């Protein structure tokens, strides 16, 4: 509901439109008299599906993309049905207004929403564009003094991006449908992100482990202070560590000494009684600077590391914090802080930790990103005077409090003093009994002044196990000097193996996309959600694992759409959109170059039209071992041993299913051989049906095991014995083609297998459904097996029964007894909810997660929303559940859109 007010002095009404009700409610509390605040609920119009276009447009240049290819890529926008009522409300509110304030977000999407509002509402009153980096009284007062027009260049950039994504997706996705699987999609950023994850998995698949050994000694000073050191050199040559091996398991350096178990044990034995002494001590000052305030990318990374939030959850929580006035705008590339924010951070650091924790000079941060979108501040606590976590603890709970605390700590720490200390490195040597010179090394850091670390310390991404194990750094060392004598309390030989590159996490994938200049703050979370929802990537803990279908998709794109999954090319597209947003490039010229040519060697349109023949079998095949190929089939991945060239016609190749939980890098040659050897037989002959004389076999199919009767092909004698029919002129008609007889089939019960099913069981299965009889009204009752288990059927009334075995034993009387009972919901006993989250704040009904036919879903008994595939049930929070239900309510039921042609774009001048 809009928040209404009238200026008592002037009697004027000022209409303010924002995107969301939560943001509007907060703003309304800070505006003075005369302002009415209402929400557009995001975009009010967009490009429709081409199938929804009017018939007269489908055969024109608009028909393919809902973008007019014959008229400078002019988009054909429609107001969707679920926004029709909202538009009517906005128009009604505007009738009584004397001024219109468009207060949508200050990025490209927000600017586009403001422009679309102008085009649809067609205001006849003065219009003001109002933006603010945070929702506080001070920020809104400053914004009212700095109003401007809608930025048409930013609108052009957003519209270009929208059209670009439509061209990319609608041209390339159909190729994936034809050559890989239906329902797949390609996207300018999502395809590149998928390629990154697949390439990392390829590296892991190609990785070969290398073994190496070293020594770790425990040494004691004359004062009995103990510390550990690692062997680093033998006879002056450096000892090989994990970093000295390639991913193929080969030693990079010819000068490094590669110790095996025998050499390491022999050297350790020879050093047991050796005289150790300190050969050198090097001490250096240690300084560590604080991390910059959060950008969207670094917030997602750190929330993933420290709070275990997905990128999507991070942005949902940050959105709520922003809209309720707790933090600044959450989509930004900039780590810069305003003067007021710097002063607030320095003041709080001094008050909480002491004046010595604040440096004399203020810290100024600049962005490192290849591209910078619209100018925003870093993500920080809102206001000119920050609220500490203790001050918001009563109003924020759960995820919102945890994220606010993280943002507050990072912001304050960014203006604090460096951490200070010293790092000491020591070299220790001895000669073994067989005359070999061994040198050990240890280093340690002592922090003498914690500085910013008193408030906050940045997290780290996963590293290789062998990288993490290198050295003995971090331990505090005793005071040592050259020539000091040491005693070796223990010299232990230890073996190590190199580890493959770590998989991407959401945090490290966001970091990589940002470093490559791909995507924007507003797209990172949506991109990761998309590739997970499409089934290209799944999560294993925090690691992102690609599916086999992702390998096929990436291979097709790499071989036939090379530029469109190239990292540099995709980054250049982002740079070009930035140029358009600054007015340095034209939308129409750029789209023409991209689609018809010059932007790349040939345009997307030409590439798609000249694709030629794509070998779908090759695209969906990966050699796993000698003579074993993985195929990505219609119903999932499987292994196949191709037939030799001289195999008899009709011979089926050996196949084996690939377990769903087996990651691609775990499907080694050895594992593939094991799966092939242990695969259940594809087919087993059970015997002959005594009634028909036909052979009955059991098979393993893509839908599961089943039995089938074999229909013999007609022989030449059968065809010769067909009765001859004649035309009216007396000429014989050609022989008719034999009628194809459909074989009887039956799916095996869960308790059966191809190896154990009998002929009698197979004959019973093929006779299903089984007719039990009729009820008093003459309605036939049958029993059969289905996707969700065994059930009775009478007309359209279905009732579940206990077990599959009952299909052959249940009687008509028992069925009638079941039908005499009231029907349970869904025909089955209602299962216990998977999760419960208390009452919904809107409907006041209990929120639960249930297991539905198409997967788990959230419901309050009124509104249902499927749990995103990227979110595990165990990680789902009450706040997320409420947010997802609210988003579904806002969308409303899907209806046919109202179609409107885009009006020419014009800058709105102030009146």
């Amino acid at each position: 509901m809009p928040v209404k007010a009238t200026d008592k002095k002037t009697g004027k009404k000022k209409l303010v439109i924002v995107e969301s009700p939560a943001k509007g409610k907060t703003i309304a509390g800070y505006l003075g008299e005369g302002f009415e605040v209402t929400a557009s609920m995001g975009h009010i119009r967009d490009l429709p599906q081409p199938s929804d276009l009017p018939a007269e447009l489908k055969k024109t240049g608009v028909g393919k993309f809902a973008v007019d290819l014959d008229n400078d890529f002019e988009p054909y926008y429609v107001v969707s049905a679920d926004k029709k009522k909202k538009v009517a409300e906005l128009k009604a509110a505007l009738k009584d207004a004397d001024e219109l304030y468009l207060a949508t977000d200050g990025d490209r999407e927000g600017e586009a929403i403001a422009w679309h509002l102008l085009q649809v509402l067609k205001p006849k009153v003065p219009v003001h564009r109002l933006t603010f980096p945070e929702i506080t009284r001070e920020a809104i007062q400053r914004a009212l003094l700095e109003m401007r027009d809608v930025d048409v260049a930013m609108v052009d950039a957003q519209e270009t991006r929208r059209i670009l994504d439509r061209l990319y997706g609608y041209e390339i996705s159909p190729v994936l449908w034809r050559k890989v699987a239906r329902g797949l999609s390609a996207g300018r950023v999502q395809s590149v992100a998928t390629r990154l994850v697949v390439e990392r998995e390829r590296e892991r698949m190609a990785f070969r482990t290398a073994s190496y050994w070293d020594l770790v000694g425990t040494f004691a000073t004359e004062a009995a202070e103990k510390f550990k050191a690692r062997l680093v050199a033998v006879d002056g040559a450096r000892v090989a560590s994990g970093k000295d091996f390639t991913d193929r398991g080969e030693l990079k350096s010819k000068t490094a000494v590669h110790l095996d178990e025998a050499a390491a044990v022999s050297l350790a034995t020879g050093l047991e009684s050796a005289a150790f002494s300190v050969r050198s001590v090097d001490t250096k000052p240690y300084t560590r600077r604080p991390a910059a305030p959060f950008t969207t990318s670094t917030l997602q990374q750190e929330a993933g590391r420290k709070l275990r939030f997905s990128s999507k959850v991070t942005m949902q929580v940050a959105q709520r914090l922003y809209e309720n006035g707790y933090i600044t705008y959450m989509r930004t590339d900039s780590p810069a802080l305003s003067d007021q924010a710097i002063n607030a951070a320095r003041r709080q650091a001094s008050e909480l930790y002491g004046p010595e924790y604040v440096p004399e000079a203020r810290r100024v941060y600049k962005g490192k990103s290849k591209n910078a979108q619209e100018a925003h501040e870093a993500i920080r606590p809102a206001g000119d005077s920050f609220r500490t976590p203790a001050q918001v603890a009563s109003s924020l709970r759960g995820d919102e409090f945890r994220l606010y605390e993280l943002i507050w700590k990072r912001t304050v720490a960014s203006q604090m003093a460096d951490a200070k200390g010293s790092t000491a490195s020591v070299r220790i040597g001895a000669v073994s009994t067989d005359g070999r010179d061994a040198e050990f090394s240890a280093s340690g850091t002592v922090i003498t002044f914690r500085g910013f670390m008193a408030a906050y310390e940045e997290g780290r991404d996963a590293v290789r196990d062998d990288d993490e194990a290198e050295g003995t750094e971090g331990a505090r060392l005793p005071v040592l000097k050259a020539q000091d004598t040491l005693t070796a309390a223990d010299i232990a030989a230890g073996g190590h193996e190199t580890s493959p590159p770590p998989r991407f996490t959401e945090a490290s994938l966001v970091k990589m996309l940002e470093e490559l200049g791909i995507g924007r703050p507003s797209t990172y979370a949506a991109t990761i959600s998309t590739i997970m929802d499409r089934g290209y990537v799944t999560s294993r803990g925090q690691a992102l694992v690609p599916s086999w279908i992702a390998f096929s998709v990436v291979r097709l794109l790499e071989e036939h759409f090379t530029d469109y999954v190239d990292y540099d090319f995709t980054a250049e597209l982002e740079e070009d959109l930035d140029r358009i947003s600054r007015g340095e490039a034209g939308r129409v010229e750029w789209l023409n170059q991209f689609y018809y040519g010059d932007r790349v060697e040939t345009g997307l349109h030409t590439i798609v039209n000249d694709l030629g023949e794509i070998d779908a079998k090759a695209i969906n095949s990966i050699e796993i071992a000698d003579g074993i190929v993985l195929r990505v089939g219609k119903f999932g991945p499987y292994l196949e041993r191709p037939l030799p060239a001289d195999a008899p016609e009709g011979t089926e190749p050996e196949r084996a299913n690939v377990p769903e939980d087996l990651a691609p890098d775990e499907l080694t040659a050895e594992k593939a051989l094991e799966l092939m050897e242990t695969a259940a037989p594809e087919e087993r002959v059970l015997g002959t049906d005594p009634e028909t004389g036909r052979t009955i076999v059991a098979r393993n199919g893509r839908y599961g095991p089943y039995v089938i009767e074999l229909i013999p092909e007609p022989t030449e004698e059968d065809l010769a014995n067909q009765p001859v029919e004649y035309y009216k002129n007396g000429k014989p008609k050609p022989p008719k083609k034999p009628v194809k007889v459909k074989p009887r089939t039956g799916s095996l019960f869960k308790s059966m297998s191809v190896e154990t099913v009998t002929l009698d069981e197979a004959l019973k299965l093929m006779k299903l459904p089984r007719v039990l009889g009729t009820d008093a009204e003459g309605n036939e009752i049958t029993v059969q097996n289905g996707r969700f288990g065994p059930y009775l059927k009478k007309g359209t009334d279905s009732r579940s029964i206990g077990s599959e075995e009952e299909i052959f034993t249940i009687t008509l009387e028992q069925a009638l007894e079941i039908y005499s009972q009231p029907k349970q919901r869904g025909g089955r006993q209602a299962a216990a909810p998977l999760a419960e989250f208390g009452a919904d704040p809107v409907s006041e009904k209990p929120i639960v997660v249930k297991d539905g036919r198409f997967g788990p879903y959230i419901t309050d008994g009124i509104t249902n929303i499927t749990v995103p595939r990227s979110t595990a049930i165990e990680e789902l929070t009450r706040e997320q559940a409420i947010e997802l239900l609210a988003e579904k309510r806002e969308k409303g039921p899907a209806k046919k859109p109202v179609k409107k042609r885009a009006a020419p774009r014009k800058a709105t001048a102030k009146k």
Side-chain angles (χ1 to χ4, degrees), residues 290 341-363 411-419 449-455:
I342 292 174
N343 292 337
R346 289 170 62 85
R347 183 170 58 253
Q348 287 197 348
S350 178
E351 291 170 355
L352 293 170
Y353 303 102
E356 67 276 16
Y357 282 83
V358 180
E360 290 185 11
R362 296 160 24 126
R363 294 190 185 274
T411 306
V412 172
S414 73
Q415 290 299 318
M416 292 175 66
D418 295 342
F449 175 66
R450 288 180 59 76
F452 74 91
M453 293 171 65

Side-chain angles (χ1 to χ4, degrees), residues 611-628:
L611 270 179
E613 188 57 36
I614 296 177
D615 187 343
K617 188 173 183 179
I619 288 293
N620 292 288
S621 301
I622 301 172
E623 186 173 354
I624 301 297
D626 187 24
I628 299 178

Side-chain angles (χ1 to χ4, degrees), residues 761-824:
E761 289 172 331
L763 293 173
K764 288 181 180 179
L765 290 170
M766 290 191 297
K767 289 178 179 177
L768 295 178
R770 175 174 158 241
V771 179
L772 300 180
T774 59
D775 65 4
E777 287 78 31
N779 299 307
E780 186 178 76
I781 300 176
T782 61
V783 62
Q784 52 199 296
N785 210 2
R787 180 180 175 188
F788 302 106
Y791 65 98
L792 297 167
K793 185 172 178 62
K794 182 177 70 170
T796 58
D797 190 355
S798 301
R799 304 291 179 95
S800 294
I801 60 175
S803 66
E804 290 175 319
E805 284 67 27
E806 288 183 47
I807 291 175
F808 297 136
T809 61
I810 191 169
T811 64
L812 176 62
E813 290 72 21
Q814 291 171 320
L816 292 172
E817 175 63 25
I818 291 172
Y819 273 108
S820 69
Q821 304 297 323
K823 186 173 183 179
Q824 296 175 347

Side-chain angles (χ1 to χ4, degrees), residues 327-344:
I327 64 170
T328 52
Y329 192 58
M330 65 285 160
R331 296 187 184 96
T332 175
D333 283 336
S334 172
L337 294 176
S338 66
D339 290 342
Q340 297 94 326
I342 292 174
N343 292 337

Side-chain angles (χ1 to χ4, degrees), residues 123-439:
K124 294 180 174 58
V125 296
V127 178
H128 312 286
R129 181 73 174 101
L130 194 65
T131 59
F132 25 79
E134 57 187 352
I135 304 176
T136 61
R137 189 179 303 280
E138 306 96 323
I140 291 172
Q141 288 173 348
R142 283 194 289 266
L144 288 169
L145 299 175
E146 300 170 356
M147 293 186 294
R148 59 176 175 82
D149 296 332
V150 170
D151 189 326
V152 177
M154 285 175 64
V155 176
D156 273 348
Q158 187 277 342
E159 188 168 86
T160 305
R161 193 271 309 161
R162 184 71 186 92
I163 295 171
L164 169 64
D165 289 347
R166 175 60 64 97
L167 298 175
Y168 191 114
Y170 276 48
E171 284 285 25
I172 300 178
S173 296
V175 181
L176 300 180
W177 283 43
R178 294 194 300 271
K179 299 301 179 181
V180 183
R182 290 188 66 81
L184 300 179
S185 71
R188 177 175 52 90
V189 179
Q190 75 172 49
S191 296
V192 175
T194 303
R195 183 189 173 198
L196 282 169
V197 178
V198 167
E199 282 195 332
R200 181 61 56 87
E201 197 73 8
R202 287 173 178 165
E203 292 173 11
R204 291 174 64 88
M205 293 168 71
F207 178 81
R208 296 294 178 266
T209 300
S211 298
Y212 62 97
W213 283 67
D214 63 7
L215 305 182
V216 174
T218 302
F219 300 96
T221 65
E222 292 179 355
E225 295 179 284
K226 292 185 178 181
F227 65 97
K228 292 182 183 293
R230 189 177 296 273
L231 179 71
V232 292
V234 175
D235 293 332
R238 185 171 57 81
V239 173
S241 65
K243 296 175 182 177
D244 292 302
F245 294 89
T246 68
D247 282 351
R248 302 297 296 176
E250 300 163 347
L251 190 64
K252 298 176 188 175
S253 173
K254 295 180 180 179
T255 59
V257 177
H258 182 192
L259 295 181
D260 58 16
E261 181 178 8
V265 171
S266 173
L267 182 59
T269 302
L271 291 171
E272 286 178 353
S273 57
F276 284 87
S277 62
V278 176
R279 291 182 175 176
S280 66
V281 177
D282 184 22
T283 303
K284 296 179 180 178
Y286 170 86
T287 301
R288 185 174 170 188
R289 293 172 58 85
F294 282 131
T295 61
T296 303
S297 167
T298 55
L299 177 65
Q300 291 177 17
Q301 293 171 46
E302 196 72 340
R305 299 183 193 114
K306 292 198 169 185
L307 306 181
R308 296 294 188 263
F309 285 1
S310 67
S311 296
K312 184 175 181 179
V313 169
T314 300
M315 295 310 292
Q316 287 174 339
V317 177
Q319 178 93 28
R320 294 197 296 271
L321 289 174
Y322 165 69
E323 290 180 342
N324 288 289
Y326 287 97
I327 64 170
T328 52
Y329 192 58
M330 65 285 160
R331 296 187 184 96
T332 175
D333 283 336
S334 172
L337 294 176
S338 66
D339 290 342
Q340 297 94 326
I342 292 174
N343 292 337
R346 289 170 62 85
R347 183 170 58 253
Q348 287 197 348
S350 178
E351 291 170 355
L352 293 170
Y353 303 102
E356 67 276 16
Y357 282 83
V358 180
E360 290 185 11
R362 296 160 24 126
R363 294 190 185 274
V364 177
Y365 296 93
K366 294 182 180 179
K368 297 179 182 178
S369 176
K370 278 188 179 182
N371 304 313
Q373 201 175 333
E374 286 65 56
H376 289 294
E377 251 192 285
I379 303 170
R380 61 165 176 83
D384 294 345
S385 180
F386 303 160
R387 286 173 284 182
T388 66
Q391 290 171 322
V392 301
S394 60
S395 55
L396 291 179
R397 291 282 187 275
D399 292 347
E400 292 178 0
F401 176 81
R402 295 168 67 201
L403 190 64
Y404 180 85
E405 183 179 43
L406 187 72
I407 293 168
W408 178 87
K409 286 181 176 180
R410 175 86 162 220
T411 306
V412 172
S414 73
Q415 290 299 318
M416 292 175 66
D418 295 342
K420 299 285 187 181
S422 61
T423 298
S425 299
V426 59
R427 291 279 178 139
I428 302 158
V431 178
S432 66
T433 53
D434 60 354
R436 305 193 71 181
D437 182 83
E439 191 165 271

